[in-house]
Amino acid sequence: MIRILIVEDEEPIANLIRMNLTRAGYQCEIAPDGELAADRIENQSYDLILLDIMLPKLDGYEVLEYAMAVDIPVIFLTAMGETSQKVKGLKLGAEDYIAKPFEIQELLARVEAVLRRCRKTDRRLHFLDIDIDTDSRTVQKQGKPVDLTVKEYELLLLFLRNKNRALYREVIYENVWGGEYSGVGRTVDLHVQRLKKKLGLEDHITAIYKVGYRLTV
Ligand code: CA
């Protein structure tokens, strides 16, 4: 299981992030100040750290040094409009930043992207009779290989990492195809249909009116 440390002194924000990441299948812990964060980083193992900058005791830039010493990727949570903060964070070695306040979907997408980039995602995923090996990018159903296109494969991973969550068409599009979703065209729908058919997921991937799709467990 992927472990994420949330370093944030504003309790409602920390709790909101934890709730959503937990729902998405991540294991989360919160550190409410920089010193506790440094302690945790030194004594436990994490796959990713979400790091606020203005923190009691040690600030985010100082905590970043602890994270980098043990090679844990960091996403900074920056205050809105603080361009200097994000530039400094990225220069010092953070993988990404998210400006507060942020949409939860954006947070999840960025977490997912950084984990993938840093190869911290689970290498083997399993759902019903489907097995995915993300090292070899192979998919099997009932032990037999299934050929998926690159986009179908990305789509499948997105669904599996967001079980029971409503995925907006634009989020699906941005994650799988990259770039802005124009709101027109049936690309997403056609690919979802083909994926469902290939893997027999007709009963598990459901359309949500005016929103998108959800993989239900
Ligand atoms: Ca703060």
Side-chain angles (χ1 to χ4, degrees):
M1 196 168 205
I2 305 280
R3 284 165 56 87
I4 299 177
L5 179 65
I6 303 158
V7 187
E8 170 63 75
D9 58 325
E10 282 168 76
E11 208 182 325
I13 298 178
N15 287 338
L16 180 74
I17 296 173
R18 178 170 60 186
M19 183 184 80
N20 282 282
L21 290 179
T22 304
R23 248 192 228 159
Y26 300 107
Q27 194 183 328
C28 300
E29 285 176 19
I30 294 173
D33 70 54
E35 202 178 321
L36 277 169
D39 285 345
R40 292 203 159 194
I41 292 165
E42 286 188 320
N43 295 307
Q44 313 224 16
S45 72
Y46 298 99
D47 299 291
L48 175 69
I49 299 172
L50 299 179
L51 185 54
D52 185 25
I53 293 175
M54 302 297 282
L55 287 166
K57 297 178 184 172
L58 298 174
D59 70 22
Y61 303 120
E62 291 169 295
V63 175
L64 178 67
E65 289 179 27
Y66 287 86
M68 289 182 67
V70 286
D71 207 20
I72 305 172
V74 167
I75 299 177
F76 268 125
L77 306 172
T78 63
M80 197 174 65
E82 288 284 346
T83 312
S84 59
Q85 285 187 353
K86 76 188 185 201
V87 171
K88 185 174 175 188
L90 292 172
K91 270 191 183 158
L92 289 173
E95 284 292 328
D96 204 352
Y97 67 90
I98 304 174
K100 292 190 275 189
F102 45 79
E103 296 286 329
I104 285 300
Q105 294 288 1
E106 186 196 357
L107 173 78
L108 289 170
R110 285 182 188 265
V111 163
E112 178 63 34
V114 168
L115 287 170
R116 195 168 19 186
R117 198 155 69 222
C118 301
R119 297 189 52 81
K120 299 276 188 184
T121 45
D122 288 333
R123 289 184 179 166
R124 283 168 190 279
L125 296 167
H126 180 77
F127 179 69
L128 302 172
D129 56 357
I130 301 164
D131 290 290
I132 298 116
D133 183 329
T134 59
D135 273 342
S136 59
R137 288 181 79 94
T138 50
V139 179
Q140 296 195 328
K141 183 173 169 67
Q142 293 177 341
K144 289 182 191 132
V146 179
D147 284 328
L148 298 182
T149 66
V150 174
K151 298 302 182 201
E152 288 164 356
Y153 176 82
E154 295 288 328
L155 195 53
L156 176 63
L157 289 193
L158 183 68
F159 275 121
L160 289 179
R161 288 172 177 155
N162 293 280
K163 288 178 198 144
N164 297 320
R165 292 187 66 88
L167 287 172
Y168 284 77
R169 272 192 187 78
E170 44 266 56
V171 171
I172 295 175
Y173 189 86
E174 281 161 19
N175 268 275
V176 175
W177 281 268
E180 286 275 307
Y181 178 61
S182 67
V184 295
R186 305 233 319 129
T187 307
V188 170
D189 304 277
L190 288 172
H191 278 79
V192 170
Q193 277 168 26
R194 290 188 61 82
L195 181 69
K196 278 160 71 166
K197 212 169 158 187
K198 280 189 182 177
L199 292 173
L201 291 172
E202 289 88 346
D203 295 338
H204 294 277
I205 297 178
T206 44
I208 308 163
Y209 183 62
K210 285 191 173 171
V211 173
Y213 292 92
R214 177 171 50 222
L215 174 70
T216 311
V217 181

